[in-house]
Amino acid sequence: MTAGETTFDVLNGLGMLLICFVTLYPIWYVLVNAFNEGQDAMRGGIYWWPRVFSIESFEAVFKNSGIMTAMGVTVAKTLIGTVVHVLFTAMVAYALSRKELIGRKFYMYVGTITMFFSGGLIPTFLLIRDLHMLDSFLVYIIPAMFSFFDLIIFLAFFRDIPDALDEAARIDGAGDLSIFVKIVLPVSLPVLATIALFHGVYQWNDFFTGIIYINNVDLQPIQTYLFRVVAQSSSSQMIASMPGGIGKSVTSQSVKLATMVVTTLPIVVAYPFLQKYFVKGLMIGAVKG
């Protein structure tokens, strides 16, 4: 190895470390300040470790009924929405993967157009209103049931499934639904996990749907709740209503940071367990042969 190659490797390694630091430090900063006592954190100067360790901000979060209700809504819509989205999109993708489907190319053209053009916010709102899904939990599920982008990923995987499996099942008398449930889905775990991760992250992080279509505070997800806490500074009112004198050392800023940590932690914990499927999913259709 030459001196030039060694220097390049060192600079490359330093560059990667710098990128990692720039990416991870903001998360670490939020975590450190969330675990610091609120009044002390207002003095500033906390960068690496909590100066006065405290969990009172998290107590304020978990003792607030509004936050816990919003968290329950988020968990429910993430689980239900992800399962419904994955199964429905997979069913449509399986149908479009069948060469004998009449009008298959036309459906693909129409679906591709929807990836680049949409009706816009106002027509979508009017449609949701006419379907009576305003202030309804279904607004989180039904409009997000299908994604043509995810369908393309499914299609790339389904086309690689050997035709022999389908032919053998039909000889045994299996129909399309039976083949899809008993053969296609079991061999499609990598792509199912990948789409579940994609859509699960979307459902967990989605705050816009709650802002536009939901007025009932009991149906707002945690991300919408957090948005309104940050945007409207309503965390001060939340602190004032805390029982047991928790608000003495808790500030609105510390509650905001603690809420950010609580809302981010579940998806961060789940991601490593799905990472291997995520990598496989990204490679779907990329390598032939």
Side-chain angles (χ1 to χ4, degrees):
M1 180 178 294
T2 64
E5 292 176 341
T6 302
T7 303
F8 176 78
D9 291 339
V10 171
L11 293 176
N12 187 45
L14 292 176
M16 294 298 295
L17 288 175
L18 179 62
I19 293 174
C20 291
F21 174 78
V22 172
T23 303
L24 297 177
Y25 179 73
I27 302 174
W28 178 253
Y29 179 82
V30 170
L31 190 65
V32 167
N33 280 270
F35 278 102
N36 197 86
E37 194 265 334
Q39 295 293 338
D40 178 76
M42 293 181 66
R43 294 164 46 202
I46 301 173
Y47 303 109
W48 300 106
W49 304 102
R51 187 164 50 217
V52 180
F53 183 83
S54 173
I55 60 172
E56 289 190 347
S57 297
F58 290 92
E59 291 180 9
V61 170
F62 286 110
K63 287 187 177 182
N64 182 269
S65 59
I67 290 181
M68 299 314 297
T69 300
M71 182 67 76
V73 172
T74 300
V75 171
K77 84 184 190 74
T78 299
L79 294 178
I80 298 173
T82 300
V83 171
V84 171
H85 174 85
V86 170
L87 292 179
F88 184 79
T89 305
M91 289 177 64
V92 178
Y94 175 71
L96 289 176
S97 69
R98 309 305 303 167
K99 296 179 181 179
E100 63 269 19
L101 177 66
I102 300 176
R104 183 165 64 99
K105 291 185 178 181
F106 172 77
Y107 300 142
M108 292 296 298
Y109 288 138
V110 172
T112 303
I113 292 174
T114 64
M115 294 178 61
F116 301 97
F117 304 98
S118 65
L121 179 59
I122 294 178
T124 302
F125 179 86
L126 296 177
L127 176 62
I128 296 297
R129 183 199 63 184
D130 293 342
L131 293 175
H132 305 289
M133 287 194 293
L134 294 179
D135 274 337
S136 171
F137 184 79
L138 292 178
V139 76
Y140 299 124
I141 309 301
I142 295 179
M145 282 180 63
F146 178 76
S147 167
F148 195 80
F149 178 83
D150 293 344
L151 178 140
I152 293 175
I153 298 177
F154 273 119
L155 275 178
F157 189 91
F158 290 161
R159 287 170 179 169
D160 290 338
I161 298 177
D163 293 335
L165 292 176
D166 180 86
E167 295 171 359
R170 293 188 183 279
I171 291 175
D172 292 336
D176 288 322
L177 182 61
S178 180
I179 293 173
F180 174 73
V181 173
K182 296 181 179 180
I183 296 179
V184 175
L185 289 183
V187 301
S188 303
L189 289 181
V191 69
L192 291 174
T194 300
I195 301 303
L197 178 62
F198 285 161
H199 193 73
V201 171
Y202 161 77
Q203 284 281 10
W204 185 270
N205 291 330
D206 177 37
F207 70 95
F208 192 72
T209 302
I211 293 174
I212 300 299
Y213 305 116
I214 300 295
N215 292 319
N216 185 354
V217 293
D218 292 332
L219 289 176
Q220 291 178 355
I222 188 64
Q223 303 297 348
T224 301
Y225 189 95
L226 176 60
F227 172 83
R228 289 180 172 167
V229 165
V230 174
Q232 303 174 4
S233 298
S234 58
S235 53
S236 299
Q237 301 175 1
M238 182 177 69
I239 294 170
S241 64
M242 285 290 98
I246 290 179
K248 292 181 180 180
S249 61
V250 174
T251 64
S252 60
Q253 181 67 16
S254 66
V255 172
K256 292 175 185 178
L257 296 176
T259 307
M260 291 179 187
V261 173
V262 171
T263 57
T264 305
L265 185 62
I267 204 69
V268 172
V269 172
Y271 181 81
F273 297 99
L274 297 173
Q275 184 179 14
K276 61 179 181 180
Y277 296 112
F278 178 77
V279 174
K280 290 180 181 178
L282 291 179
M283 295 299 294
I284 291 173
V287 180
K288 297 296 183 181

